[in-house]
Amino acid sequence: MPHRLLRFALRKEYREPRFFTAHDRLKDSYDVVIIGGGGHGLACAYYLARDHGITDVAVLEQGYIGGGNTGRNTTIVRSNYLTPEGVRFYDESVRLFQDLAADFDLNIFYSERGHFTLAHSDSALRTARWRAEVNKHYGIASELVDRQAIREACPALDLDCGGQHPVLGALYHAPGAVARHDAVAWGYGRGADRRGVEIHQQTRVTGIRLEGGRVAGVETERGFIATRKVVSMVAGSTPRITAMVGLDTPIVIHPLQACVTEPMKPWLDTIIVSGSLHVYVSQSSRGELVMGAALDQAELHSTRSTFDFTEGLADKMLDLFPFVCGIKVVRQWAGMADMTPDFAPIMGTTPIAGFYLDAGWGTWGFKATPVSGKTMAWTVAHDRDHELIEPFNLARFERFRLVGEKGAASVGH
Amino acid sequence: MKLIDCPHIGPRPASEFVYGGPYRRMPDPDAVDDKTWTEYVFNRAGSPGVKLEWWYHTPSGSWFIAERDTLRDLFLRTLTVSEVHHGHG
Amino acid sequence: MNRQSPAHHLLLKQPLPWGTIHGMPLPLSAPALPATFIVDLSALPRRLVRGARAAAWLAAHGIAVPERYFGCRELDGGAFIARTGAREFLLVDGPEGRTTAALPEEADGVLALPRDDQELALGGAALRDVLLQTCSFDFTKAGPDDIVYANMIGVGCWLRPGGGRIPYLRIGCDPSYGEYLFETLLGIVAEAGGGVIGFKDFWALRQSA
Amino acid sequence: MATDKRLPPQPREWIDRNRPLRFSFEGREYTGFAGDTVTSALLANGQMLLGRSFKYHRPRGVLSAANHDVNAMLQTADATNIRGDVTRIADGQAYSATNTRGGLARDRWRFLQHLAPLLPVGFYYKAFHTPKRLFPFWEKQIRALAGLGTLDTRWPREIAPKRYGFCDVLVIGAGPSGLAAAIAAAEAGAQVVLVDENPRAGGSLDYQFARDTAADAFRREALAKLERLENLEWWPETVAIGYYADHWVPLLRPAGIVKMRARAVIVAGGVFEQPAVFRNNDLPGVMLATAAQRLLHRYAVKPCERAVLLAGNEDGYRAALDLHSAGIAIAALVDLESAEPRGALAARVKAAGITLHGRHTVYEALAKDQRLAGVRICALDAEGRPRPDSAQTIACDGLLMSVGWAPAAALLYQAGARFGYAAPPGQFVPLELPAGVYAAGRVNGVFALAERILDGRAAGLEAAAFLGLAAPPAARPARAAQAHSHPYPIFSHPKGKNFVDFDEDLQLADLENAAREGFDNIELLKRYSTVGMGPSQGKHSNMNAIRILARATGRSIDATGTTTARPFFHPVPLKHLAGRRFRPERRSPLHAWHQEYGVHFMEAGDWLRPQYYGWDGLSAALRREVEAVRQRVGLIDVSTLGKIEVFGRDAAEFLDRLYTLRIGNLKEGMTRYTLMVDESGVVIDDGIAARLGPQRFYVTTTSGNAGAMLREMQRHLAEWGLEVDLIDRTGRLGAMNLAGPRAREVLAALTELDLAPDAFPFLGVRRGHVAGVPALLMRVGFVGELGYEIHVPASQARHVWEQLMKAGSAHGIAPFGVEAQRVLRLEKGHIIVGQDTDGLTTPFEAALDWAVHAKKPFFVGKRSLQILKERTARRLVGFALPAHHVGPLPKECHLVIDGGNIAGRVTSSAFSPTLGCHIGLAMVEQHLAAAGGSFTIRVDGGVLLPVSVVPVPFYDPQNERQQFAASLKEVAA
């Protein structure tokens, strides 16, 4: 048992410091206002303070810290994307994730499990090879593996999937990991807080004031704040914020659902994803199976659950792992995913001076938390897009310069 | 599961329907400049609200238009496409 | 003598006397009627009639069409006609095929194309329970004057309730789903202690009902 | 030690004393009766120790006896995480406790409770991560310690069918208010289904009012009506697992899930009794008063010999009297409030000889042999804090807690109800309910039995009125005017072990410390401390957690709020969610023939398609099949193609708007290649359009897109309001392609049609008969030989196919599969949409410029293509390897590398038996696309392979094989 636990026993009093200072009032102005107290917003605040010395920052959160998609995702971290821009971006994120616990002095349970994207058709196999080739080109551990390799890594998996759509091979990504999602937000929050950033929970933004086409301040339920720089990092609420500054985007909100089982002793070490069956699953350090599936088909700004989601998920899950048929699902939930036409984020500067956008996170926002915080902080500090995110600027659409991540989806059919 | 009241066949569970995206009028392609056109192609009215949408009932193979509150998750009413064309939308 | 039902190879496993209906080999009759049954009716001639003047065209051929959308009307010789839209009708003929025999396939803007369906009927004691396991539609809300388009075990089907003493439901779908639909329903019927009956059995039973 | 705790027959008991059952627990044999749960049977045998706690492995016994906790989590040979409280014993079954090392009694992990001081809330966030390299080791230890049951990966998949259900009114909960509601709604004429998770109706009537004559009168009458009313169905052992939109309520029954679609829903789910929080409140022997009453009345089990009752409400007094009259010695009644206001009840308790301690609490439970041996009680000061100086010890083997309740309101929350805290009764009550949803009884804050019945009846009538079956009822009875839940039955102790969440082993200090560390929002508190996240989902812990946080932050209960109540109400096995394994599969009408001929199928969406034929492997088959088509004649099943009739006044106009090429000027009897792009100019499909008449066309789509294309056509039709009709014939017609130099001879033998080149030219379409079957024939060929695509009714496809094979045998005909077709079309340079294109490919990039007819006034995507034409950055080109090439070959999706950078990818690649070399298509950057140029492909092993750009088609560039015909390009122009 590590010595660090001894302090709890030796001390009479419980003297753990607060993670987050409670601020009873908002100041009249801040250098930077970040809308959204999720992983991205807190990470941006953290890097603004740590790397750029910008500490006069307010993070405004309508609910509670990490209460949005940060606390609703299935915590998978990987960098085996299809496009060069995607791969470079997420590779940097993985590197940051690997050192986050040390940075924070907080255990985020970053656990490298190995990530299998199962291919059930020859077109899926082609896409897997495509991704593997692009990944390898950028030095990322990613390869196309056969059934035998999958069997060895995950003997419990029924490669024949109950007789239909058998697994033909997989894209294997050794660095694929899971992490304790809440802890990532808390770590960034605590780090930002200790560097002087103010985190205001239960503070809803009601408007953004523009003067002469540039940002002048933010209206909140708790009054007006003057600022020259506003960063929107609100994922599922993005369209509501962009509407405040009259900015049109391609973003459409779709619910993304997930569910979790009762805890059981460890039997699944890897992360298993099946595009064709629309299932992904990993086993948490608590022993629960954390499972997700495809987006709901229609736009919706709600985190309601549907029963047919769990029905479909269970059905496909038992194709892969028939023996869990008696295991019970305890809880289901949903997040609001901000989808873009090309399955890539929208980041960086916008036509409105002082308004920065970090959005379009769809189903891949958690794994980008550190890198988007870091690159957005750089972008806000320099008022210029960080080179890693240039391809993701909103302007790409009117230039018909879409990012090809969707290529994977389309070829993958 | 939600019920969707198809104007052709009446209420059916949502699983029998395919969502067809927002009902939008295309600007005259020959009249608009490139910017306006690309905005039409890519941008969407993403804020929550009451929207007209395309919905398709798969078993009977028919399209119709639904007026839906995307914040409260409510189908307010459904119309045939011609009703919408003729301004009943 | 060259038609084949999508369920042909499943039916071959049934030890029933066979015959040929409209060029399609099918089991004709079962020694005894099971309490719950499934029967292949794919052999029946069918037409999908579509076009701006479809209704008038049918009337001109002496076929009175239902006014109501998804309404259904019984015709002579065991045939029925269902209205599936403003300008579309499904005509399913009876065992003798009298109604479709004379109909042209194309005339003044109307197409009346022959249509192969996997058609079957489910009926008997466990009908309701089998339906509750396979279709989300509440069949207490429909009768012989209705044609219901709904998903059944994931396949888009037309469904028409019928029967008197012995209730049954006629079901049709795209033949490419036919083997799956028939095999799956047969499995559930068998669990309920039912089985396959012959083409003739069904029409006899229909008379008796 | 198996002392018998079974009492003589009780008036309401659920056990069948004529059916004794044998079972074992932790290796020891026991007997119980049919109807016993594992918990009740073990207690009847004097076995108090039922499990070990999740974190500290502390001994645990009964808490709720109602599945509101998981102290009794069991394992058998073929199942795990079985809940002893609600699982009926099965004869001969062997049970053991989950999550122990070396058995329940002397679990080797029990030392962990002595490390508790080292393991405060969130400790795992604060340790194990340094040094980084050691975390994997610690994680392994932590994962092994966490988790409950152990599963066996050899367990078979079980199938549990699901059903749909329909009713007017669904009533959830068959206690007094639920019974009254169901009966009232049914008598008003509604079709009612009444469900309860218990095997018998009556709810608390059976354990809190078992000896109450007034209650019994109502119970008898209600149960009689359950029998009598034909429009009232009673479903026992049925759990409503969640509420979903439009009154969609899945019901978990022993036989499987019923997905109930109700027109109105009444929730009468009652309340969960809540534990008091004090030191050692988790010792076996410390239980909820209702747990004792359930054991006593349902199972005739004596919960203990000598009990102390800790009361925070009058329900506790009633429980004391109830147990007393059942012959259980009540050593003392300890009331958190002063006893005087309890009036008559207090008098009756005193009269029963029970010592009353007002304004006292249990300060600590005392253990002996891992179970309760006595309690230390002490007086409370003015602030309600314990005064240890006043402590006294009472010996007892049972401590029964009756300090408050929490509403079983999850389904109401899921339905969108708004709740607020009301004191009295001291719980959250619904303030606003959605249309068609009603609450009745204690979940609604109504407590007196008579009023619960009235409340239920009123709810039933309200539901009936909502459905137009009855007049709305008179007003509901008022909610309880006195507190039934103590505002703070929670007591700190310097030594802790005062548990709030039994699933997660969370103590009072854990929650207070979490709040102090800044997790002072109820949702943050839950996530940091994990309170309420265990298998019982907070049923016994959420309310106390809210009270603790409210006090810690000085906020009101309302301001503190609750966590979101997500499905499921009780956890649901995956097999029940999955149901039967329905997997729609599509079959070509030729499927059986392929099987008989020894085909290898490949999956294509819902279809199975012939990949190749024969037993000698793919490459041999490929050579054979390609050679047959090139040299003689081959036959392939293309029934999966989308097939759509397009007819009506504006048919030509419609297709001109739909496709990039011009279709309107197509001559009757001719066909043309079609290409479809979306609004952003991306290639989405291609196929053939045939003109059958002035206003009649027949079009095909790719197999994979058939459904989507039909929908798009129907949508555009509705949008454009053109006078056109569509008929989808995809599955209704079988299709086959007869291709090869001998195709004409083979076909001639079977058709009356004149096949002479001038009578039936390349790209012509004809209607006639093949083998006596009405057929549509198109002289097109994806594979680049003289070919006929023959479309016939599905029911006759096999006959036609067999006749063609027969007629072809003299010409050496061979059936060929998708793999051969891919090679053949590649030799011919035809693209496959979705393989040679991706989600962003334009026609210009796909080298289909010729297929874009910019002069047309309009077609879908035209405007975008006008913009994109200038921005074509990449191009699909052909490449070939020298015939003598040895070494690794390019595979599909290998990358094109230029100056160390990615400059494209291989989209198609195969050995061409016809050309005797390896050929392929690649999407490359413009500057690499120049004819005669070359580029480099990185193949397996990182080898850089130079290849030369070759014009396509690779094979028969002049298209002489298909005869007298211009290539597709020129025809399109």
Side-chain angles (χ1 to χ4, degrees), chain D residues 271-437:
Chain D
V271 286
F272 309 124
E273 188 159 39
Q274 299 296 296
V277 176
F278 53 85
R279 176 167 169 76
N280 291 338
N281 61 340
D282 65 331
L283 269 181
V286 181
M287 67 185 79
L288 300 169
T290 45
Q293 289 177 294
R294 286 188 176 97
L295 291 165
L296 172 64
H297 296 297
R298 289 176 171 176
Y299 308 104
V301 169
K302 212 171 187 183
C304 56
E305 300 299 329
R306 179 180 157 83
V308 167
L309 205 139
L310 175 62
N313 53 25
E314 292 193 347
D315 309 273
Y317 284 69
R318 295 196 190 84
L321 292 165
D322 180 42
L323 292 154
H324 176 74
S325 59
I328 293 162
I330 308 291
L333 190 154
V334 179
D335 192 337
L336 299 174
E337 306 285 0
S338 88
E340 284 62 41
R342 308 289 191 196
L345 269 172
R348 283 174 57 199
V349 165
K350 292 209 190 79
I354 300 169
T355 336
L356 239 169
H357 303 270
R359 289 300 288 168
H360 272 62
T361 186
V362 170
Y363 184 55
E364 168 177 19
L366 306 170
K368 185 160 181 295
D369 307 333
Q370 306 196 75
R371 58 178 292 178
L372 180 72
V375 293
R376 280 171 63 76
I377 70 167
C378 66
L380 296 168
D381 67 17
E383 279 72 47
R385 286 189 305 257
R387 288 177 28 216
D389 56 327
S390 71
Q392 53 180 296
T393 302
I394 307 173
C396 61
D397 67 341
L399 172 56
L400 316 181
M401 303 175 285
S402 176
V403 296
W405 314 88
L411 272 71
L412 293 170
Y413 279 108
Q414 288 158 27
R418 196 167 62 79
F419 276 72
Y421 186 76
Q427 71 185 47
F428 287 95
V429 294
L431 303 178
E432 221 177 278
L433 290 163
V437 177

Side-chain angles (χ1 to χ4, degrees), chain D residues 642-653:
Chain D
K643 315 176 197 71
I644 302 162
E645 299 267 356
V646 182
F647 62 102
R649 192 190 67 209
D650 305 326
E653 162 76 11

Side-chain angles (χ1 to χ4, degrees), chain D residues 702-714:
Chain D
T702 58
S703 303
N705 288 340
M709 284 306 119
L710 175 71
R711 279 203 300 276
E712 272 315 285
M713 290 170 77
Q714 289 170 319

Side-chain angles (χ1 to χ4, degrees), chain A residues 34-94:
Chain A
I34 295 169
I35 307 173
H40 286 222
L42 296 167
C44 182
Y46 175 87
Y47 292 112
L48 273 173
R50 195 195 74 174
D51 300 355
H52 306 283
I54 301 173
T55 58
D56 183 23
V57 177
V59 178
L60 308 182
E61 167 55 48
Q62 63 174 344
Y64 56 95
I65 287 170
N69 292 351
T70 299
R72 298 167 189 273
N73 65 82
T74 49
T75 80
I76 296 167
V77 177
R78 60 180 178 87
S79 62
N80 58 346
Y81 278 71
L82 177 66
T83 61
E85 47 272 64
V87 172
R88 282 199 303 269
F89 181 76
Y90 287 100
D91 182 40
E92 176 61 16
S93 206
V94 168

